[in-house]
Amino acid sequence: MKPEPQPKEVRVLPTFKVNKHGLYIFLSLLPALILVSLFIYYPLLKGAIMAFQSYSLFDLTNIQFIGFENFKQVLADPGFRRATINSFYWIFFSLIFQLSIGFFVALLLKKRFRGRGVYQALVFFPWAMSGFLIGIIWRWMYNGQSGVINDLLIRMNLIETPIPFLSEPNWAMVSVIIANIWYGITFFAIMILAALQSVPEELYEAAKMDGANKLQELIKITIPFILPTIIVTALLRVIWILNFPDLIYAMTNGGPAGSTHILSTFMLEKIIYGQDYGQAAATGLIIILLLIVFSIFYLMATKFDKAGDF
Amino acid sequence: MRKIINWPSLAKIIFLGVFLIFSIFPLYWIFITSLKPKEDMFTFPIKYWPETITFENYANIFQISNFNVYIVNSLIVATVAGIFALIIAMLGGYVLARFRFIGKNQVIFAFFITQMIPIFIALAPLYLLMSNLDLLNRLPSLFLIYTVMMIPFCTVIMKSFFERIPPSLEEAAMIDGCSRIGALFRVIFPVMLPGIAATFIFAFVQSWNELFLAIMFIDKEEAKTIPVAMNSFITKFDIDWGAMSAATVISVIPTLILFAIGQKYIVEGMTQGSIKG
Amino acid sequence: MKDQLTKGLVLCFSMILVLIIISGCSDDSSSNDNATGDDQDDTEQDNGSDTVTLRMVESLTSPARTELLKGMIEAFEDENPTIKVELISPPLQSADEKISQMLMAEEDIDVLEVRDQTVKQFSNNSFIEDLSVYTSEWENWDSLNDIAKHGATSIDEIPYFIPYGIYEKTLFYRKDWFEEAGLDVPETWEDVYNAATTLTDPSQNRYGYSFRGGAGSSDYVEFMTWSYVGENIVQDDGYFIEDGSPMFTTDEAVDALEMFVKIYEDASPPDSISWSYPEMVQGFTSGTTAMLIQDPEVIVTAEENMEEGTWDTAPLPKGTPSGVAQQTAGTAGWGIGAFSENKEEAWKLISFLSSPEQNLHFAKNNSLIPVHKSAGDDSFFKEGYFSSYIEMNAKPDEYLIADRPVDYKGWGEYRGVAEKDIQSLLLGDITIEDALQKWTDYWVDQKEQQ
């Protein structure tokens, strides 16, 4: 978890050509390193210090180091436990459905057909909208009184009275996850479609000569070939989905009764309601720690060695 | 024989159709809402096509706010951030793809970790930093921070694009007398165009949509971006759905155009990136 | 040679980057506010250092109010040609967070919106000025009404802000529906419950009461409990009763919460468990709910969206058997930032905005209870929808005012905690006793920390 492991001096191993490329490497990476260090790692470091301080807006005149007190309080908060469990559901179900539907869509879009470009532009579009906006739109649609989703379900005779989508805890969690699935399918579809198109035709031809059917093709050639893409994309999505408070913030703000809080909205609430920057920072560090641990296990389990290739 | 093949393709058409409706219905709905007059907004039963179409909501947002200014600001911020992120990512990505050097893995690891950082942990220090740099209330604060936020992902994506291109390509060019940068521009970029387009679109869209930092760094009218303006349609009294929906429709137009032009590059570009067997 | 070229190109690139950033900066700083940009530049050249620009930040932002404020600021600038005011209007949702950041960065904010909810935090951190130097010489200080003065000096008897308005809740009801059903205007919570259940008809999408179960719900539990507990509440330490224990220990608190839950279950939209301000107001103005308890600001919203004669206001319902209604008088106003370099001018602006004429104008257009005694004579407030407020103020024995425990460290956090508990209570996850016990423990703990 130590930040800023960037090297001060870059020494070059003579793999590509000769040693004097060191300056070139250094200069090329310099803008990225300077900017990332100054505007991401430096604020992170300062933010991380707050996690060990009594940093509450109520009284900033008396900020002291209090060791792990903030962590203790956060971990003892029943809301934190709930948010952690919710985060698991939020990530797991979002990911499974985004991945499987995205995979399916990509398979169907692989072959050219008339209007594919237009179709792609339309169905990929959710990806281009902001999470906050999507949250607002879905909240508008889920509305119990004048919401379009309830209206449609009633018209189709599927239900008789409106479903309290965002006001009943179990429904609320399902509802925000559905909205998130809607938002995230596209990303998988694009990545997987790209991967599918990169499968060399010769492989399929060879398989055909061996008399493989479509399903066998899929299992024996397609999936193994695109697996690395899926593994990397899925890991990245896990990280992004957990650090994505916008949607829940706009839809339910964690309610009702904290039933839709995930860790990142829990953290947001610590800032907005409690105005306790210390506890918020502690939660933030816990999130980072959890994600690092998860990534390590994930990459070990999938035996994927290119850890950084996200 | 024909009939047997038809079943799957029928299923395919149905699935694609359902998925299309699922994907665009929320957009359709916000579009319809934007055309409804104020009094029809909450009428029951719900109208799926407004009886009276009105553009008053659109006219309204330009009256109650300087929406034209916000559009220009958002365009500037997203374009500049997109281009900067792209340039920096190409420089870094190329080096990471082509050379092995001490600290390379650490750099990639440091980039990877940035993706895990919840932005709110760094918000207060970032605000102070921007204040010290005297960038608050200025568009550079936004395109600077958006560029930074895009660098890690874009750099690593670029790295995988470069990895796909055989080094022999630029070696040949360099033998012909090009410098490394010259080779980069003349030989590799044309091949990589889809990837570059895809990366730019990614960075553009992310910057176009960002809300929390924009709210924190900007409070002057002349430097506000679209998400900030839309956030102010949420008042204590209500959400101004008319203004909100009209603003949503306007705000997605640039990204829609970008998508229409670039959508084939997005997939093509990612295709380049994903080949690493 | 190749490397020199490389170096050159990278250097060029870096310089372009720096140049763009710098030119971007100067571009931006020269393009001032569209409207005033040009003449501001002129005056700066003409008067040199004589012109002062004040930075003023609002927090309860809404587009309509921002327009109103801008109009008043223009009038101020006309009177004081050497002072310019730059109004900053962060979006409501994140305004408090934003203002905290600005103050933590020690930015020179001259005038800022200070509310009863934020004044303690601001004064604790020395973010705002003690205004007594100015108020002692201000001719209008004594014309402020008692509630306004009380609000201004709520922390340590020091005036930290000059209120621009008072927030008190009143009952809004559908006059037409009540008449149609032959119902009287409710006076007690029992009446509210009975009328609300009569008017509830889910098949018509019609409910008796605009319930608040979402953000801000603790305010509703608060004034219901206060009304039921009645005079036993310590008025300047509102969450405690005379014997020093939290109000949640009383039997009346149980009655109040039972009523609260009953109204939700029997007479409110199921969705209202997550309603907060916008939804409950919309529920009322769009014809879904028959009753609403809200701030005076809603009068304007209702006037805009509803037909005259279909609705009216009435005093806040009373508790039984206490026979009183009790609520807090919320105040918000303008204070001076501690890091301001133009405090004299800032006070000029505040005293201008707080003058009886300007305040009356602001209160009328923003639909607030004005802060000056003289405003009571204005027909706008005497008659019509505001008259329920006049009625309540005329009977201080029946309509009590208590203070929220804003000076406790845990106040902000409590609201978040209580909101969650209230939703759990409405969902049936916890009992009334559980909730009361939890809040009692919370406030006993707060008292000890004090």
Side-chain angles (χ1 to χ4, degrees), chain C residues 209-217 220 260 272 275-277 280 294:
Chain C
Y209 181 74
S210 250
F211 193 84
R212 183 176 202 159
S217 59
Y220 285 71
F260 181 78
S272 58
W275 281 10
S276 69
Y277 195 106
M280 60 195 299
Q294 257 306 345

Side-chain angles (χ1 to χ4, degrees), chain B residues 127 139 216 219 236-237, chain C residues 28 98 102 107 277-278 297:
Chain B
Y127 186 89
L139 292 183
M216 280 301 143
D219 43 45
K236 188 181 162 193
F237 303 99
Chain C
D28 240 33
K98 162 102 198 182
M102 294 175 97
E107 283 188 42
Y277 195 106
E297 293 163 309

Side-chain angles (χ1 to χ4, degrees), chain A residues 65-93:
Chain A
F65 277 95
I66 50 169
F68 285 89
E69 191 56 36
N70 285 325
F71 291 89
K72 272 185 208 157
Q73 284 187 8
V74 167
L75 291 173
D77 190 331
F80 177 80
R81 247 194 74 191
R82 191 156 189 180
T84 312
I85 296 168
N86 279 344
S87 300
F88 174 76
Y89 289 136
W90 168 252
I91 293 172
F92 183 77
F93 288 108

Side-chain angles (χ1 to χ4, degrees), chain C residues 271-324:
Chain C
D271 228 30
S272 58
I273 191 169
S274 55
W275 281 10
S276 69
Y277 195 106
E279 292 88 0
M280 60 195 299
V281 173
Q282 236 157 45
F284 182 70
T285 56
S286 68
T288 304
T289 56
M291 282 180 277
L292 165 75
I293 292 180
Q294 257 306 345
D295 288 338
E297 293 163 309
V298 176
I299 291 175
V300 170
T301 319
E303 274 176 333
E304 274 172 15
N305 294 293
M306 299 169 79
E307 276 172 47
E308 218 188 311
T310 61
W311 63 285
D312 206 349
T313 60
L316 200 67
K318 294 170 179 168
T320 34
S322 69
V324 300

